[in-house]
Amino acid sequence: MATNENLPPNVIKQLAKELKSLHESPPEGIKVGVNDDDFSIIHADIEGPDGTPYENGIFRMKLLLPHDFPQLPPQGFFLTKIFHPNISSDGKICVNTLKRDWNPSLGLRHVLVVVRCLLIEPFPESALNEQAAKMLLENYEDYSKHARLITGIYAKPKPKQKSGPISESTTALNIDQSSGAVDLKNTTVPSAVPVPPCSTTSSKGGPNSTDLATAETGGSLPVTCSTKQQAMVGGVNRKEGVAAHPSKPLAEKKKMDARKKSLKRL
């Protein structure tokens, strides 16, 4: 593996400045990857320009800097498969900037911009892919269709990861996660046995039956219920409607009837 020792110290210093500039303010549609261990290999991701067969594609490329850089131009390669007249099947790039038009004063930014412009305006006259050049000159629609197909297969950008759907299991139950309490707002509760209202007038001399009635009113007022009401509150058989305990006045009445019968006999 090549290291920074393959390049002169002054070239390394110049490249470090240029790579920093490319990282902080990259050219439009170009993202450069910086390798601090080896400045002689420059990687870049190039976005396919809009309105071209390479639209919506991301193409990875690399520049190999020779030991005599910048006196000699870098070599350019596409690592992502692409159908283009000036790019060979193995990814080698043919562009005048990297050959006869090279100038030591040209920087990496200029080279990367020229390569991206090559995707906008190919030069079939200096082709490395004869099939692509022929299709471009004879039938642009077929060329564009084939180039789009290759782009969709090999240069498709990675989909962005999305967060998983929120589970509806907890929200459907209306559960408070912090306290563990369950919302019973919509829960149906069986209704209690209806109790007839009691009279608030006190009964003089009569038994004071306020145990259950006072519980119904919170114990604020002494309430006297009628005999029928006491029977219903004291516990009723739902099926037969029989009172649980007989009333005291009924027993006293039977005693009076028995006394009257005995007096008649005398």
Side-chain angles (χ1 to χ4, degrees):
M1 178 178 177
T3 63
N4 287 333
E5 296 178 357
N6 294 335
L7 300 173
N10 60 324
V11 175
I12 294 176
K13 186 176 181 180
Q14 180 63 32
L15 284 174
K17 292 181 180 180
E18 190 167 359
L19 290 172
K20 182 180 179 182
S21 174
L22 287 170
H23 180 70
E24 293 177 349
S25 58
E28 181 182 358
I30 301 174
K31 184 178 181 181
V32 179
V34 178
N35 185 352
D36 295 333
D37 296 329
D38 191 356
F39 287 164
S40 66
I41 303 178
I42 309 298
H43 288 92
D45 289 336
I46 299 180
E47 298 178 6
D50 295 340
T52 70
Y54 314 105
E55 185 177 1
N56 297 326
I58 302 294
F59 299 88
R60 171 65 61 90
M61 67 157 296
K62 69 177 179 180
L63 294 175
L64 298 180
L65 279 57
H67 179 72
D68 295 334
F69 182 86
Q71 301 305 318
L72 295 178
Q75 292 180 317
F77 296 89
F78 266 75
L79 303 179
T80 303
K81 187 176 179 62
I82 184 173
F83 187 74
H84 191 283
N86 304 113
I87 302 171
S88 66
S89 58
D90 60 357
K92 189 176 181 179
I93 303 171
C94 179
V95 63
N96 290 336
T97 302
L98 299 179
K99 290 186 176 181
R100 63 185 180 185
D101 293 341
W102 174 254
N103 189 316
S105 63
L106 298 177
L108 296 178
R109 182 182 294 269
H110 177 79
V111 173
L112 294 172
V113 170
V114 168
V115 171
R116 187 169 188 266
C117 289
L118 195 64
L119 301 182
I120 301 174
E121 188 177 355
F123 294 96
E125 295 80 8
S126 57
L128 290 180
N129 187 328
E130 295 293 340
Q131 180 187 5
K134 185 178 181 180
M135 291 180 66
L136 176 62
L137 293 173
E138 295 179 357
N139 191 328
Y140 180 81
E141 292 298 327
D142 290 346
Y143 160 76
S144 178
K145 183 178 180 180
H146 191 74
R148 287 182 185 276
L149 177 63
I150 299 298
T151 299
I153 296 174
Y154 296 99
K156 188 175 181 179
K158 294 181 180 180
K160 296 181 179 179
Q161 295 183 352
K162 298 180 180 180
S163 57
I166 298 175
S167 174
E168 297 179 357
S169 59
T170 55
T171 56
L173 293 175
N174 294 325
I175 297 178
D176 184 355
Q177 298 290 342
S178 60
S179 62
V182 180
D183 183 7
L184 299 178
K185 183 176 181 181
N186 297 321
T187 305
T188 304
V189 180
S191 58
V193 178
V195 179
C198 299
S199 173
T200 56
T201 57
S202 59
S203 175
K204 294 183 181 180
N208 189 7
S209 303
T210 61
D211 294 341
L212 294 177
T214 305
E216 293 290 334
T217 58
S220 57
L221 290 175
V223 181
T224 302
C225 297
S226 67
T227 304
K228 184 178 180 180
Q229 291 168 349
Q230 290 179 36
M232 295 183 67
V233 174
V236 180
N237 187 314
R238 293 182 181 178
K239 231 175 181 184
E240 301 176 359
V242 180
H245 301 286
S247 59
K248 290 184 178 181
L250 183 59
E252 293 177 357
K253 183 178 180 182
K254 288 183 179 181
K255 290 181 180 180
M256 292 293 294
D257 293 340
R259 291 177 182 175
K260 289 180 180 179
K261 288 181 180 180
S262 61
L263 291 174
K264 288 182 179 179
R265 290 176 183 176
L266 296 175

